[in-house]
Amino acid sequence: MARKIKAPALFDRRLLREAFLQSFIKLHPRLMIHNPVMFTVEVGTALMVVVTFIAVLHLMLGEPVAYNAVIAIILLFTLLFANFAEGLAEARGKAQAESLRKTREDTIAKRLPYKDADPAEAEMIPASQLRKGDIFFCEAGDIIPSDGEIIEGIASIDESAITGESAPVIREAGGDRSGVTGGTKVLSDWIKVRVTINRGESYLDKMISLVEGASRQKTPNEVALTILLASLTLVFIVVCVTLSFFAAYAHTQISLAAYIALFVCLIPTTIGGLLSAIGIAGMNRALQANIIAKSGKAVETAGDVDTLLLDKTGTITIGNRKATRFHPLQGVDLQHLIDCAVLSSMADDTPEGRSILELAKQYPDKTKFPDATMIPFTAETRTSGIDLPNRKIRKGSVDAVGHLCAQAGHPLTQEAYAIVESISKNGGTPLVVSENGQALGIIELQDIIKPGIQERFQRLRKMGVKTVMVTGDNPLTAKYIAEKAGVDDYIAEAKPEDKMQYIRKEQQEGKLVAMMGDGTNDAPALAQADVGVAMNSGTQAAKEAGNMVDLDNDPTKLIEVVEIGKQLLITRGTLTTFSIANDIAKYFAIIPALFINQIPGFQALNIMHLHSPQSAILSAVIFNAIIIPLLIPLAMRGVAYQPVGATALLRRNLLIYGVGGLILPFIGIKCIDLLISVL
Amino acid sequence: MGSILFSHLAGIVVTYLLTVFIGIVLGRYMYKVYSGDPTWSDTLFVPIEKLIFRVCRIHAKEEFDWKDNMKMMLSINLIWFIISMLLLTNMKWLPLNPNHISSMSPDLAFNTTISFLVNCDLQTYIPETQISYLGQIWLMFLQFVSAATGMAACILIFRAFREKSLSRIGNFEVYFVKSITRILLPLSLLLSIIFIWRGMPMNFAANQHIITLEHHKQTIAEGPVAAFVPIKHLGTNGGGFFNANSAHPFENPDYLTNMLEMIAQAVIPIGLIFTFGYFIRNRKLAWIIFCVMTMGFLLLVIPNVWMEIQGNPAIRALGIDNRLGNMEGKEVRLGTAASGYWSVITTVISTGSTNAMLGSYMPLSAMNMLLGMMVNAFYGGVGAGFINFFIYLILAVFIAGMMVGRTPEFMGKKIEAREMKIAALLVLLHPFLILIATAWAIYVYLHHPVYHAWIMNPGPHGFTAMLYEYTSAAANNGSAFAELSANNPWWNISTGIVLLLGRYPSIIGGVAIAGLLGRKQYVPQSAGTLRVDTYTFGVVLFAVIVIIAALSFFPALSLGPIAEYFLIH
């Protein structure tokens, strides 16, 4: 699928400029205090600046001015690097969201004064002036000016601007495909649309505010991690402050610069500096996948999902089931069965209903049956039909129509059941056609399972996610497809409340459930689910109920959502591990440097053989600073998630980021020290 | 020399293996006792317990949430505190005082009371001259109840993870009573009998004044030693009946008692690990925890035994025969290997009893003792040690949990901000207490020359002594470096406060985390869930303990034992 919004290049120049600016703006203590780790670095930096100035004023104090100044500058850079990471993540998020929003800014809306007004009465206004509840009119060639719900008409719409999908889609009033998105284009026919959202309140606007500092809420795991990091920071404040007393006892002179360097190196600045950038980048990755999350929490929760409810249609099978064959019962003329099937499907607007007409190659005109009563298809009755004088033709599920026939005194025959059985066993769906309570024959609908879907379910199983197929099919068919596709469980003959019940049942067991839906009757289940992804083409109710909206209307997106959530947590976890593991090397750089003048034996602890105490401290602080920008790409892209099972994943990440975090600073500090000693 | 060295090393290896074996057996027994399964001890003790429950109006069947349980713990501890203060400050005219010992000063009584109440037994008094037999018996009582307090609190944590979801995590009082009747009393009795057989005194006689062969006057102190010493070790208390603690021949007559005392102090902490395994029906996790703790223990004990056997290079440089190892301050009947082993087992576990002068160990041996107390969870004190370990466990689960891409869960319970807050505070508290108290004492020492008498040996060694005193207090260990004159208001009161803060917050915090997690919805395990019963997780756990707990003391240790090491070498 060709995506319209591509991720901006990691170091796009415009974004870099914005991030650069932000890294200075964010130095403001009021903004800084939200990040306790970096706030303490800021305090340390301020102290160093003051000390440097005092040293400049009284040169006799013995504090080496240049050395202090260099430490102060490196600390400042540590802060700037951290701010830059956050600024860059924000800028990328905004750029992505803006490019989505831009398409709808400059369009002209044809606003109608009232619902039934003639399109000729439309008033041309800029899209930005549309308010919630306004009604506008669009015809072929128009760009839809705002998100809304079709109240009248049907149209084919090119949504490629949003989804990248070039095939046009049909949107019509009523039913579950009534939502339109601003920025998409009407290709044929016309529609009247009611605006459902005020400017500034659309999901895009919400998403933009989510990536912006001001209204960004920390997610629950981020809060817990911040608490841990803050407490480690406090420990090291105590370590450094008390050290000054111990040093006084030992008659060891330690400069303020050395204390602050020790402190800044020991506190987890790497993860502290990148923490918010990681969170924002997670949201950005969701946006890149064309998912608008309503909160950061939703993305994070997705990583915890235990159970995934997937609609069969469109997710597991390609498109919709199609009628493939008519099976007349003994003594019934095939043509008669086809005719009745067509008549009874006239009021069935579901794709299955339409496929029956396609198979029969008959497209009757509803207006030619003035004395007929149409019985439209509903999910409740699971039948559709037509009442003509003296003829009651019904078509629907085996249960529903079988029940009707039984009531009329003609229960389904052994022969009918045999056909039903054989269709079901082959994964097909049987529909029974009856006339006046007498079964005529059976229509076979067939599914085609998406290629590659088995591998995706395999992957999900390795992640520990249980997949559940939701289908209206009878249990036999459902079982066949479930087995073939490799899902763990299925809900057959599902009514909307069955979904709801299944979600509740799983949640009572303590599991987190994700589902995707589009219809209004999906809304309660979407709200109940821990992660509810609504399709953008779905009804307003569905979009309100879910906590994410998928612009692509792609039901397999749930799988990506889960991976994005996991990636977010993994990135945080691994960088925390890396940051803490770094401490060991830094201890070995700084501790000997602090005491070597007093007790020469400490040279034995200088295992990196750093040049001098000053160069050792400088190298540690420099390493501490530059590791932040070096890790920005990782923070933005996220640590790759591999579904290999939790223990294997832990072992892998522990090796790379734990052992790596242990060794890398030894090498890095040594290299920097070599450079410094050359200079 | 080789065969002596071999037998010494074999002695400590046998000691350790016996400890682990008894620990495993005891772990299963303790599980049965606490979970109410039938055991051999039922016939004898059920009637006694019923009587105790009736007299104390304990409803044995009732269970409570973590808050109510902790209120019970605190209130009963408060009552003992009050009784103890009254008793120790009025010993002079109370019975069982054949040696006419006077009452304690309020600050000494405060320090002593707190110290025994919190399972620490930091002793700034000289037992032979400053406490009556009634006082000793009272302290023995406190040794029982403080151990039982830790064990009962620990069982509350175990219980919280046994069921899928429950808010009433058990009955502190019942676990407390059973800890004493079923575990501490029977084992103490058994040990007492062996100790009496090995020559430990058991009487209430007044001191004997004798004339030695060299015509010196000598006072021989005795008392109910054989009753006192078993619980001192079984309960990881460590308070000596005599000032010399287990270096005193009456308190530790021979190699066998030395072995038994080393075994006794570790069996309950090790046993509790396996009890946990039975409680949560995951014995593999118990083994992982055991391995992590053992790893830490071995990394401390092996260097200590080795360094003590090697002896002091400065003495060797003087041309003095040093082949027996670092014998300064050690008992010839016990030797360097057993003393090296003792120094670590007594500090990783919060016993704090000693069989040699700690201040005379090699500098890095002292560092390892300090590290044992700074981590305070490699086996750890009865109950309390496991609770400390539990906090590290929560931290490790949090970090490792994120690394596998899920909200961290332990035993199916999500660890969220509230639990992290408590865990983070507790992780902070230990270095906070040790470092700030030491820094404050040093400030006072440096700025007020009157206090220079505190330290007998200025320089790094004196610093180590002060750091040791507060580390021992914060870890509720109770061993003393013995180069510090600590019986004065400053040390009595300041260590008393550190003792209190080192004890109750961590127990309450640990039980609170378990209580909060216990009532959470249980999340079933899936392929994506972090498994804690794997060696990979064990590695994370060990790394968290080393990097977060031990390394924060690196700067302080550098100025104490490490600096002293470099001065010798």
Side-chain angles (χ1 to χ4, degrees), chain A residues 28 46 111 116 119 180 183 192 226 230 234 263 299 334 339 407 433 474 500 520-521 551 590 640:
Chain A
H28 196 297
R111 187 165 68 180
D116 299 321
V180 291
K192 286 181 184 172
T226 309
L234 270 171
F263 170 69
V299 177
L334 175 65
D339 291 342
Q407 275 182 338
V433 182
N474 65 55
M500 187 77 175
T520 299
N521 49 25
L551 296 177
I590 299 181

Side-chain angles (χ1 to χ4, degrees), chain A residues 477-677:
Chain A
T477 316
K479 186 164 181 255
Y480 176 84
I481 297 173
E483 273 170 11
K484 218 168 157 196
V487 292
D488 300 313
D489 196 4
Y490 58 88
I491 314 175
E493 290 172 349
K495 292 190 280 299
E497 54 275 23
D498 292 339
K499 256 192 207 180
M500 187 77 175
Q501 244 160 31
Y502 197 94
I503 294 175
R504 286 227 179 97
K505 193 191 93 204
E506 292 284 297
Q507 285 175 334
Q508 260 154 25
E509 286 171 24
K511 296 181 183 169
L512 292 188
V513 185
M515 71 164 279
M516 193 149 194
D518 54 1
T520 299
N521 49 25
D522 281 334
L526 279 171
Q528 177 75 30
D530 301 280
V531 176
V533 183
M535 296 205 209
N536 197 41
S537 61
T539 59
Q540 192 58 30
K543 286 198 259 183
E544 291 289 344
N547 41 21
M548 291 186 202
V549 178
D550 174 27
L551 296 177
D552 289 343
N553 307 320
D554 172 10
T556 54
K557 201 56 87 50
L558 272 177
I559 300 171
E560 265 173 75
V561 173
V562 172
E563 292 199 0
I564 290 170
K566 286 198 178 293
Q567 246 191 340
L568 179 64
L569 281 173
I570 292 175
T571 311
R572 267 193 219 132
T574 49
L575 288 185
T576 304
T577 308
F578 182 85
S579 195
I580 295 174
N582 273 347
D583 272 8
I584 295 182
K586 292 172 187 167
Y587 271 119
F588 278 100
I590 299 181
I591 295 288
L594 293 181
F595 305 123
I596 212 160
N597 288 334
Q598 190 75 15
I599 305 161
F602 271 93
Q603 181 62 35
L605 284 182
N606 182 12
I607 51 177
M608 283 174 272
H609 297 287
L610 302 179
H611 182 252
S612 69
Q614 281 79 9
S615 77
I617 289 173
L618 268 182
S619 310
V621 185
I622 291 174
F623 176 84
N624 194 52
I626 60 168
I627 197 70
I628 295 176
L630 289 181
L631 287 173
I632 287 179
L634 187 71
M636 296 291 153
R637 285 198 204 102
V639 172
Y641 174 74
Q642 307 225 307
V644 288
T647 304
L649 187 64
L650 178 63
R651 200 175 303 136
R652 180 177 172 276
N653 286 336
L654 201 60
L655 271 177
I656 300 176
Y657 299 95
V659 178
L662 210 70
I663 297 167
L664 185 71
F666 278 105
I667 302 168
I669 292 173
K670 178 69 190 168
C671 291
I672 297 168
D673 181 73
L674 283 176
L675 269 177
I676 292 178
S677 54

